């Protein structure tokens, strides 16, 4: 059983998203796929069909529900190569709207001040996975980690497999008063819940916060991508903000959705990516992508490729997932909210 399946079962009795709200997005996506199928509609009157589970976001393991089943025509030609398949700009926008319509109906509840946010992250160094687990207390007064980090002093009795837990005073008021960029997860959540759901207004408010700083020469689209890229690293994001982020991605001219993706951990995924042929003002170059579960649209991780990853037409990638030792990859292997450090959802 994978983590997403386990998380869904935690809230199997939660209400389903409003089918009336999701239906328009499903219809638009279906229409785009039909129109873009080879040969037009006359070749998809009797399409092969696949079942797509339109679930709700498994955000933070707080509010995971089942889904409703919709059928969409498979826009992949029968003789097309397996693997990653890049959607057109229009189909990408429709897919992102479906994601937004799905996640915005997901209830996400703020944790209590003494609860802990758990995250297991796997990074790949020269193609080899290295995993770490962390626990952060919601009010910012505690942090824990496995494996532990060796101290700067003597390490003869250091055990990296022993849970390291740190506690400290509440710094929220000090950070706020003195204008520090540091924020507890609770403070960041309380900023996010104030954001408007409309993507243009939301991104304007985010830019006004200067959370990641301005870079001279950066285009508005590059800045929005960088902001969104960072925001998705938050384990808990309010539902309306998740939806706004998907809609903001659809407004970035270069952003495209790729289906048929396997993430570095082997999980099915979709990718939202941008390609930078030339180095940007922030130093980015090549393909940058954010990975999501194709059913729940939960964040799965991110990758940066030094060169474009799309294979020439009619050829498959050199590896099934498109990731190799030159790729910078971070995957969110598991996440949730627990009542004490060391506990797992």
């Amino acid at each position: 059983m994978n983590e997403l399946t386990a998380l869904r079962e935690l809230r199997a009795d939660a209400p389903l998203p409003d089918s009336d709200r999701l239906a328009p997005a499903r219809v638009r996506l279906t229409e785009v796929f039909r129109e873009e199928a080879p040969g037009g509609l006359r070749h998809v009157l009797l399409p092969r069909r696949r079942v797509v589970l339109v679930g709700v976001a498994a955000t933070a393991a707080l509010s995971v529900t089942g889904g409703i089943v919709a059928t969409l025509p498979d826009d992949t030609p029968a003789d097309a190569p397996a693997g990653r398949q890049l959607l057109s700009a229009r189909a990408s926008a429709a897919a992102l709207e479906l994601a937004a319509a799905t996640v915005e109906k997901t209830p996400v509840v703020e944790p209590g001040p003494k609860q802990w946010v758990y995250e297991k992250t796997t990074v790949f160094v020269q193609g080899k996975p290295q995993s770490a687990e962390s626990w952060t207390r919601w009010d910012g007064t505690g942090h824990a980690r496995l494996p532990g980090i060796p101290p700067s002093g003597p390490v003869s009795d250091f055990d990296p497999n022993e849970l390291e837990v740190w506690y400290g005073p509440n710094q929220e008021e000090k950070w706020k008063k003195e204008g520090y960029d540091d924020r507890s997860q609770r403070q960041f959540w309380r900023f996010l819940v104030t954001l408007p759901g409309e993507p243009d207004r939301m991104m304007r408010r985010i830019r006004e916060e200067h959370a990641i700083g301005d870079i001279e020469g950066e285009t508005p689209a590059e800045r929005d991508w960088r902001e969104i890229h960072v925001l998705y690293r938050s384990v808990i994001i309010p539902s309306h903000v998740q939806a706004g982020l998907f809609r903001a991605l659809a407004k970035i001219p270069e952003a495209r959705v790729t289906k048929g993706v396997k993430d570095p951990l082997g999980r099915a995924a979709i990718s939202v990516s941008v390609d930078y042929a030339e180095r940007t003002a922030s130093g980015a170059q090549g393909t940058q992508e954010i990975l999501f579960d194709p059913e729940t649209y939960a964040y799965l991780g991110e990758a940066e490729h030094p060169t474009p990853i799309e294979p020439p037409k009619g050829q498959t990638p050199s590896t099934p997932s498109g990731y190799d030792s030159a790729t910078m990859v971070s995957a969110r292997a598991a996440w949730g909210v627990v009542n004490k450090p060391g506990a797992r959802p």
Side-chain angles (χ1 to χ4, degrees), residues 7-296:
L7 293 178
R8 291 189 192 105
E9 292 179 354
L10 293 176
R11 286 294 305 273
D13 59 340
L16 295 175
D18 185 347
S19 60
D20 291 338
R21 179 66 184 85
L22 298 179
R26 292 199 304 271
V27 169
R28 285 194 294 273
L29 185 57
T30 303
E31 289 175 348
V32 170
F33 281 172
R34 285 178 179 270
E35 291 175 8
E36 296 193 354
L41 282 173
R42 70 180 183 275
H43 289 294
V44 290
L45 292 177
L46 295 174
R48 295 182 296 116
R49 303 189 74 83
R50 57 188 173 90
V51 175
V52 177
L53 179 64
V54 183
V56 298
T59 303
L62 292 175
S63 304
V64 184
T65 77
I68 55 178
V69 174
T71 56
L72 296 176
D74 191 336
D75 63 321
T76 305
D79 58 349
R84 308 170 64 96
Q85 296 179 32
L86 184 69
L87 299 184
S88 69
R90 187 179 178 210
S92 293
L96 289 168
E97 175 55 34
L98 177 58
T102 301
V103 300
E104 70 183 345
K105 301 304 293 185
T106 307
V108 180
V109 180
E110 180 182 358
K114 296 183 180 180
Q115 288 189 294
W116 298 68
V117 177
Y118 167 79
E119 182 179 22
K120 181 178 181 181
T121 302
T122 301
V123 298
F124 290 76
V125 180
Q126 294 184 339
K128 297 180 179 180
Q130 296 183 5
S131 296
E133 298 174 278
S134 65
W135 292 259
T136 304
R137 193 162 131 153
W138 188 245
D139 64 4
T141 62
H143 184 75
R145 177 184 167 89
L146 271 176
I149 301 175
S152 57
V155 295
S156 58
D157 60 348
F158 173 73
D159 182 359
N161 295 316
E162 180 178 346
L163 182 69
E164 291 185 349
V165 184
W166 299 268
Y167 288 97
N170 191 315
Q171 299 289 300
E172 290 179 326
E173 288 303 316
K174 177 181 178 180
W175 292 335
K176 182 177 180 181
K177 181 179 179 180
E178 299 184 12
Y180 292 164
D181 289 336
D182 303 68
R183 293 181 182 179
S184 68
Q185 296 206 37
R186 177 168 64 180
Q187 284 178 308
F188 191 59
W189 164 275
R190 291 179 179 177
F191 163 68
L192 292 178
V193 296
T194 68
L195 295 176
E198 196 279 321
D200 290 333
R201 293 172 55 212
M202 184 185 73
M203 294 308 300
R204 185 163 55 249
R205 278 282 312 281
I206 291 171
R207 288 192 296 270
E208 288 171 355
E209 285 291 305
H210 297 288
I212 60 175
D214 296 320
I215 295 179
E216 185 177 354
E218 191 172 38
T219 70
E222 291 168 355
R223 171 65 184 264
D224 281 353
W225 172 265
R226 196 161 56 93
E227 293 275 11
I228 294 169
H229 205 254
V230 171
L231 279 172
Y232 269 118
R233 296 173 189 171
S234 299
V235 177
I236 303 177
I237 303 177
S239 304
H240 75 284
V241 178
Q242 292 184 63
L245 291 177
F246 279 121
R247 292 183 173 118
L249 283 169
K251 288 177 171 287
I252 296 176
E254 300 86 358
R256 294 290 185 273
V257 171
T258 302
K259 64 177 188 173
V261 174
K262 290 286 187 181
D263 84 345
L265 299 180
R267 299 173 294 187
I270 63 170
S271 161
V272 184
S273 65
V274 293
D275 285 321
Y276 298 131
E278 304 292 335
R279 188 172 298 278
T280 67
S282 66
Q285 189 171 11
T287 296
Q288 294 196 341
E289 62 177 348
I290 309 173
L291 301 164
F292 301 94
D293 183 275
E295 298 175 354
T296 66

